Amino acid sequence: MNWKNFIKRTLTGVLFVAVLVGGLLYSAATYTLLFALITGLAVWEFGTLINQSGRAVVNRPICGLGGVYLFLAVTGFSENMFGGEVFVPYLLILIYLLVAELYLRRPNPMNNWAYTMMSQLYVALPFALLSVLYFYPVQVMQGGAFTVAVTPVLPLSVFIFLWASDSGAYLVGSLIGKHRLFERISPKKSWEGSIGGGVLALLAAWALWYFFPIVTLWQWMGMALVVVVFGTWGDLVESLLKRQLGIKDSGNILPGHGGILDRFDSAMLAIPAVVVYLYTLSMLL
């Protein structure tokens, strides 16, 4: 074992989790600042990968600006600070990115458009939807009685389920994993590992329900399963993207862990899926 690399990876992982959890739980301001920064870095990283691949040209400054603005706009809208008009500047950014290609006379304008829009749909939008979870009204205990409020535990739970799923999948997959889950894209993933990850995520759901009964036990468990399934797909989507680009890591900003996209790949699909799950529950119940 390369102990130097192991220590570097461990320290980076601990610091990453501490910053993420601290930013989410401390205040709405720290959450907003942290994830606005993460959104901008993630969009920039995606644009860098595409530009270096030679497949297309992505305007990283404008795409990064658009991604950060979308996050801030959804945050303000979800917090009822602004109305729908807050999205008008973002629409203007999208229009600019489309129209600018008419005048730049670059080769492969269709590819440029496709990857530019992907930077917003695949990268920026999921982070923006995290604010929908952050400001989603749930029942919390205050003064001995339940009242409707918002809690950062809801978005944090998505990451807890992802971490539990990854840990369970690694442990069980390493011990008894034999049947490949998606060998064409990720040869190391197994059905046994995925099931182990799902079980550990369900245990995490039970713990969250015990300490934070903001939704019922079955709703917590349903959310955990949604995160496990869509988180796995999110991981596979990024793996396919990296295979197509011929790279191992999306970046090196996190020593021993790769880039921003490597750390949030599972969340890219898990966050939108949880938003759909919660709003579906609200319509059915």
Side-chain angles (χ1 to χ4, degrees):
M1 177 183 291
N2 187 332
W3 286 104
K4 183 178 180 180
N5 185 63
F6 175 77
I7 293 173
K8 178 173 67 175
R9 182 179 175 84
T10 301
L11 291 176
T12 302
V14 171
L15 181 62
F16 172 79
V17 171
V19 170
L20 191 69
V21 174
L24 272 167
L25 296 182
Y26 188 75
S27 69
T30 57
Y31 157 75
T32 302
L33 289 173
L34 175 63
F35 278 91
L37 176 62
I38 289 174
T39 302
L41 290 174
V43 174
W44 184 275
E45 185 177 270
F46 178 83
T48 299
L49 293 177
I50 300 305
N51 291 349
Q52 289 177 347
S53 72
R55 294 170 177 265
V57 178
V58 173
N59 189 326
R60 292 180 298 174
I62 301 299
C63 285
L65 174 65
V68 172
Y69 186 87
L70 177 63
F71 172 80
L72 295 175
V74 173
T75 300
F77 182 79
S78 300
E79 202 176 358
N80 295 319
M81 294 175 60
F82 307 107
E85 67 277 1
V86 72
F87 295 102
V88 171
Y90 181 69
L91 296 178
L92 293 175
I93 291 174
L94 294 183
I95 291 172
Y96 167 80
L97 289 170
L98 290 171
V99 173
E101 201 63 40
L102 300 175
Y103 298 92
L104 294 173
R105 298 182 180 181
R106 293 169 174 162
N108 303 318
M110 289 292 289
N111 286 358
N112 298 341
W113 278 329
Y115 284 109
T116 293
M117 293 302 113
M118 189 177 180
S119 75
Q120 304 302 300
L121 178 64
Y122 172 63
V123 183
L125 181 60
F127 288 119
L129 289 177
L130 193 64
S131 292
V132 176
L133 298 180
Y134 194 95
F135 295 104
Y136 188 85
V138 293
Q139 285 191 334
V140 297
M141 180 68 74
Q142 289 184 351
F146 281 104
T147 183
V148 176
V150 298
T151 171
V153 172
L154 202 55
L156 178 59
S157 68
V158 175
F159 296 107
I160 291 175
F161 293 146
L162 288 174
W163 296 333
S165 176
D166 288 346
S167 299
Y170 176 77
L171 292 173
V172 176
S174 299
L175 292 173
I176 60 173
K178 294 181 179 179
H179 300 86
R180 298 302 98 184
L181 177 66
F182 222 111
E183 192 168 8
R184 178 173 61 90
I185 297 175
S186 186
K188 295 183 179 180
K189 289 187 180 298
S190 67
W191 279 103
E192 293 85 354
S194 296
I195 293 172
V199 171
L200 193 56
L202 289 175
L203 290 175
W206 178 86
L208 284 168
W209 168 76
Y210 184 81
F211 291 103
F212 306 100
I214 55 178
V215 296
T216 68
L217 174 61
W218 296 111
Q219 289 169 346
W220 269 126
M221 288 191 168
M223 192 188 307
L225 291 177
V226 167
V227 170
V228 170
V229 172
F230 284 87
T232 300
W233 281 337
D235 188 7
L236 291 171
V237 166
E238 203 230 2
S239 294
L240 179 58
L241 173 65
K242 290 192 293 186
R243 277 181 174 269
Q244 291 293 305
L245 297 177
I247 59 175
K248 180 182 179 182
D249 296 320
S250 64
N252 55 13
I253 193 172
L254 299 171
H257 289 265
I260 297 293
L261 295 177
D262 291 323
R263 290 302 90 208
F264 289 96
D265 53 358
S266 299
M268 297 301 185
L269 290 188
I271 293 171
V274 170
V275 171
V276 173
Y277 170 77
L278 288 174
Y279 277 97
T280 301
L281 283 181
S282 68
M283 290 187 293
L284 296 177
L285 300 177

